[in-house]
Amino acid sequence: MDTNTINLTALDYSILGIYIIVVIGIGFVLKHQMKSASDFLLSGRSIPVWVTGLAFLSANLGAQEVIGMAASGAKYGIMTSQFYWVGAIPAMIFLAVFMMPFYYGSRARSVPEYLALRFDEKTRGLNAAAFAVMTVASSGASLHALAALLHLLLGWNYNVSLIATSIIVLAYVLKGGLSSAIYTEVLQFFLIVLGFTPLVIIGLNDLGGWSGMMSKLPETYAHSWKYVGTTNNPMGVEWFALVFGLGFVLSFGYWCTDFLVIQRAMAAKNMGDARRTPIIAAFPKMLFPFIVIVPGMIALALMEKAGSGFSIPLGVTGQTDYNLVIPSLIAHYLPTGLLGLAMTALMASFMSGMAGNVTAFNTVWTYDIYQSYIASGKSDSHYMWMAKFATVGGIIISIGFAYVAKNVDNIMDFLQLVFGFVNAPVFATFLLGMFWKRATGHGAFFGLLCGTLAAVIFHGISSPMPITAGEAVPWIKGAWLGAHFTFTSSMAQNFWLAIVAWSVCLVMTISISLATKRTRTDEELKGLVFSLTPKIKETDEPVWMRPAVLGIIVLAFAMVLNIIFW
Amino acid sequence: MNFDLRLPIGILFTAYGLILTVFGAFTNGSDIYKKSLGDNINLQWGILLLVFGLFMLGLAMRARRK
């Protein structure tokens, strides 16, 4: 790793320093606007739409996403774009056009609260508890990854990096609440775009353009659809699992129900802006593969180029560590100056990933757990105090998780597995909740539990690879109840797991709902269920501003990209 | 809410643009640009950041005057 260790100069440090001053400065300026708990947790529903849109995108574009997508670019090529053009865009448009009216239009202040209004308290409690644990765990994972990376690349002390980062995030989130997090997410968006684009430009120049790069890569790397007729492609996934598992179940389950991203849209000024938030996010989202996936392909092609002297570094296990694609390209191409900008962008995205999780956590904790089950009917200033307390608490628990991640092997893989079980079926619950008025609280709750259980069992009986005699599959990868189904990759196993969990949840929720009495009357479900909600009047908006029209434009663009890189 | 995010974005990128442009101008032809294929990428990208930063500042100022 020595050859790739990055040396920052005073110039690079000053670029990083300016960023930290600006984000903390934003926190201090916003402090005066934080007058009530809803200002702090919900931004008082007052943020302009271009800001909520870019924050919506950015909240998902954490550093792990950037690093992970570059790694996938090196492993699978342009096929990785399936995570964007199939696994994100349609769901974002569906959220904007069909689901946002129920989130923004109801009295709900969070996604779990929507479930409380639509179904009952137990469904909310289940969702809120799972979400709260998930956010602090991902915030901790983000923190650990950042500190480990800074230690590896810059030789910084792990503990110091970890604590310093936490203090910076705490400083601006505690002052400016959700607004602070949203504004820094937008800064991070511009930093990522402006900090990483030179990397792609120089890299492609070096390789002789797009065709020069492709000539050094396997044929399969050039296509996203051509080889999905069978599982004989880099991802080992065929089209049905890809479209239904990733494009529908997982993608809609994340984009249409995850409070971390939806919270950004709910901070918009009015219904029209809330619905346009995911659409505004979708435009740059479509183009992100060129900034985050292409570097992975550049790195792989560069290793093939004679005399480049470049290689993706090996990890502790002695195998190529694809997660180091971005840092090693930064070290290879960028001189001091731009180096500082790119490193600042990387650190900014870790920090804003953490801030995003912490601000979603404090809202769900304060409204859905504390106010609902621990202390209801207190004054606003009491909840404001609790929100700040939860912010500090969320960061302290994140630090705890970071150390657990550092010291316990596989713990993050395990948690990710568990979150996968919980998340896989959840879109069935929301779909039935919003579009079928007969769905009941018992149906939703037990349907969700059945879906999760189905995911656990499916994991136990399936293997991500064919089992050869005498070789065992590590239990974390599945088959701990025997390998009754074998797949060609973990990804294929994961997509099928999602399909099964979702289907079980759907069928069980419908069956149990039909067998139980309705708990909510038509009157109570007004604004929460499609057929009982008056249609939104859009006639006062110009045609091109209407979410459905914008949505169709985005989908058309996504279609064109799919065809170009088919 | 009277907080305009274009202002801090403008300030941040104008500052970055200035720093990189000036540094790039002083280090033109230096060995540090061997990495970036001989291009003075600091100067080139610095000017772009400066233009973006000033544009954002301009938008923020215009909105303020109204």
Side-chain angles (χ1 to χ4, degrees):
Chain A
M1 197 48 218
D2 280 353
T3 51
N4 281 296
T5 301
I6 293 172
N7 288 312
L8 296 188
T9 63
L11 177 69
D12 301 317
Y13 281 111
S14 53
I15 288 174
L16 176 62
I18 290 171
Y19 176 74
I20 293 171
I21 292 169
V22 169
V23 290
I24 294 182
I26 290 178
F28 272 87
V29 172
L30 290 172
K31 189 183 161 201
H32 307 288
Q33 300 178 1
M34 298 297 128
K35 297 196 174 71
S36 69
S38 85
D39 288 338
F40 188 76
L41 295 173
L42 311 171
S43 296
R45 290 195 161 181
S46 62
I47 296 192
V49 66
W50 68 274
V51 176
T52 54
L54 293 180
F56 184 96
L57 172 67
S58 228
N60 159 262
L61 190 80
Q64 276 137 322
E65 165 98 356
V66 173
I67 285 176
M69 283 298 153
S72 299
K75 282 190 278 188
Y76 314 121
I78 205 73
M79 208 182 160
T80 312
S81 66
Q82 296 279 10
F83 284 96
Y84 288 76
W85 303 332
V86 174
I89 302 297
M92 292 163 83
I93 303 304
F94 187 81
L95 170 68
V97 176
F98 295 106
M99 292 177 72
M100 194 53 76
F102 307 112
Y103 287 130
Y104 194 89
S106 67
R107 284 176 296 116
R109 295 164 297 182
S110 68
V111 167
E113 192 159 53
Y114 170 82
L115 290 177
L117 296 171
R118 172 61 187 86
F119 293 115
D120 53 17
E121 282 299 332
K122 62 179 179 298
T123 312
R124 166 206 244 173
L126 182 66
N127 186 263
F131 184 78
V133 177
M134 226 176 316
T135 46
V136 285
S138 5
S139 161
S142 189
L143 197 52
H144 165 64
L146 173 63
L149 198 68
L150 293 179
H151 177 67
L152 182 72
L153 297 175
L154 307 175
W156 290 3
N157 180 290
Y158 179 89
N159 300 316
V160 174
S161 311
L162 196 126
I163 301 299
T165 313
S166 311
I167 289 174
I168 295 167
V169 173
L170 182 67
Y172 71 78
V173 174
L174 200 57
K175 292 277 176 254
L178 178 63
S179 303
S180 255
I182 287 179
Y183 290 140
T184 46
E185 278 156 11
V186 176
L187 280 185
Q188 174 228 338
F189 167 81
F190 287 112
L191 269 175
I192 290 270
V193 172
L194 294 169
F196 287 0
T197 305
L199 211 53
V200 177
I201 298 174
I202 303 173
L204 285 178
N205 265 342
D206 192 11
L207 294 164
W210 184 265
S211 55
M213 174 179 81
M214 291 316 309
S215 71
K216 296 185 176 59
L217 295 173
E219 225 285 295
T220 49
Y221 273 48
H223 295 282
S224 54
W225 288 105
K226 194 174 176 185
Y227 300 100
V228 299
T230 64
T231 55
N232 194 11
N233 54 57
M235 284 188 189
V237 183
E238 86 290 3
W239 67 273
F240 182 80
L242 202 61
V243 173
F244 196 49
L246 172 67
F248 180 65
V249 177
L250 288 174
S251 157
F252 281 63
Y254 173 75
W255 291 101
C256 302
T257 75
D258 196 294
F259 183 54
L260 176 59
V261 287
I262 291 170
Q263 188 178 26
R264 273 74 199 146
M266 288 170 83
K269 272 192 194 118
N270 54 45
M271 175 69 89
D273 280 357
R275 296 178 72 196
R276 277 184 288 272
T277 294
I279 299 177
I280 286 177
F283 280 103
K285 179 81 183 170
M286 271 190 289
L287 300 176
F288 257 92
F290 299 108
I291 299 180
V292 296
I293 297 174
V294 173
M297 298 165 69
I298 289 174
L300 201 68
L302 200 55
M303 287 169 69
E304 300 295 313
K305 188 182 177 229
S308 76
F310 175 86
S311 68
I312 304 172
L314 304 181
V316 275
T317 52
Q319 284 172 327
T320 305
D321 187 349
Y322 288 103
N323 284 335
L324 294 175
V325 160
I326 291 266
S328 55
L329 276 183
I330 291 176
H332 185 75
Y333 280 133
L334 300 184
T336 179
L338 225 49
L339 174 71
L341 186 68
M343 288 306 290
T344 302
L346 201 58
M347 287 186 222
S349 62
F350 276 108
M351 287 193 264
S352 89
M354 186 180 171
N357 276 301
V358 168
T359 49
F361 168 79
N362 64 16
T363 307
V364 166
W365 168 263
T366 306
Y367 287 147
D368 292 299
I369 298 174
Y370 184 76
Q371 189 177 31
S372 302
Y373 304 114
I374 300 171
S376 55
K378 297 269 200 250
S379 68
D380 187 74
S381 60
H382 179 81
Y383 293 122
M384 176 78 160
W385 170 83
M386 184 30 92
K388 292 195 162 171
F389 182 78
T391 307
V392 179
I395 287 183
I396 291 173
I397 302 169
S398 305
I399 296 174
F401 263 111
Y403 278 103
V404 172
K406 181 174 188 254
N407 294 311
V408 185
D409 278 351
N410 276 341
I411 183 76
M412 280 300 150
D413 293 340
F414 175 70
L415 282 176
Q416 214 160 16
L417 191 67
V418 174
F419 298 152
F421 296 157
V422 178
N423 283 338
V426 81
F427 186 61
T429 308
F430 282 86
L431 197 62
L432 290 169
M434 285 184 179
F435 298 97
W436 191 48
K437 66 175 187 177
R438 185 65 184 78
T440 66
H442 287 319
F445 182 77
F446 292 105
L448 202 51
L449 285 184
C450 290
T452 305
L453 189 66
V456 176
I457 294 172
F458 187 86
H459 183 256
I461 58 173
S462 65
S463 160
M465 53 204 146
I467 310 256
T468 40
E471 230 184 289
V473 178
W475 65 270
I476 199 140
K477 290 180 180 275
W480 36 270
L481 293 172
H484 302 281
F485 300 94
T486 54
F487 292 97
T488 36
S489 68
S490 300
M491 218 181 270
Q493 180 195 25
N494 189 24
F495 293 168
W496 279 104
L497 180 143
I499 293 171
V500 168
W502 181 84
S503 309
V504 168
C505 179
L506 186 83
V507 171
M508 290 313 288
T509 306
I510 293 174
S511 316
I512 299 168
S513 293
L514 290 174
T516 49
K517 263 201 252 137
R518 282 182 64 180
T519 40
R520 296 270 189 271
T521 62
D522 278 6
E523 192 48 40
E524 286 173 316
L525 291 182
K526 212 175 149 189
L528 299 169
V529 177
F530 188 75
S531 60
L532 302 173
T533 305
K535 273 205 80 186
I536 301 170
K537 284 204 194 78
E538 289 172 338
T539 39
D540 51 343
E541 287 182 339
V543 173
W544 58 273
M545 286 277 281
R546 292 180 197 168
V549 176
L550 287 169
I552 289 168
I553 296 172
V554 172
L555 288 176
F557 267 111
M559 191 83 88
V560 170
L561 286 169
N562 273 308
I563 293 169
I564 295 174
F565 294 96
W566 80 286
Chain B
M1 194 175 284
N2 45 22
F3 181 82
D4 189 349
L5 183 60
R6 288 172 295 191
L7 193 63
I9 294 176
I11 293 171
L12 186 69
F13 286 100
T14 305
Y16 285 167
L18 280 176
I19 292 173
L20 290 182
T21 309
V22 171
F23 181 75
F26 276 102
T27 52
N28 207 10
S30 152
D31 273 357
I32 59 169
Y33 298 115
K34 271 188 188 156
K35 272 181 163 184
S36 50
L37 317 176
D39 279 342
N40 187 338
I41 189 83
N42 279 335
L43 182 63
Q44 295 164 6
W45 204 254
I47 291 171
L48 188 133
L49 293 183
L50 189 58
V51 170
F52 174 71
L54 289 174
F55 176 69
M56 279 291 178
L57 276 184
L59 288 180
M61 291 303 172
R62 206 187 60 166
R64 268 201 169 187
R65 232 180 292 137
K66 273 186 186 165

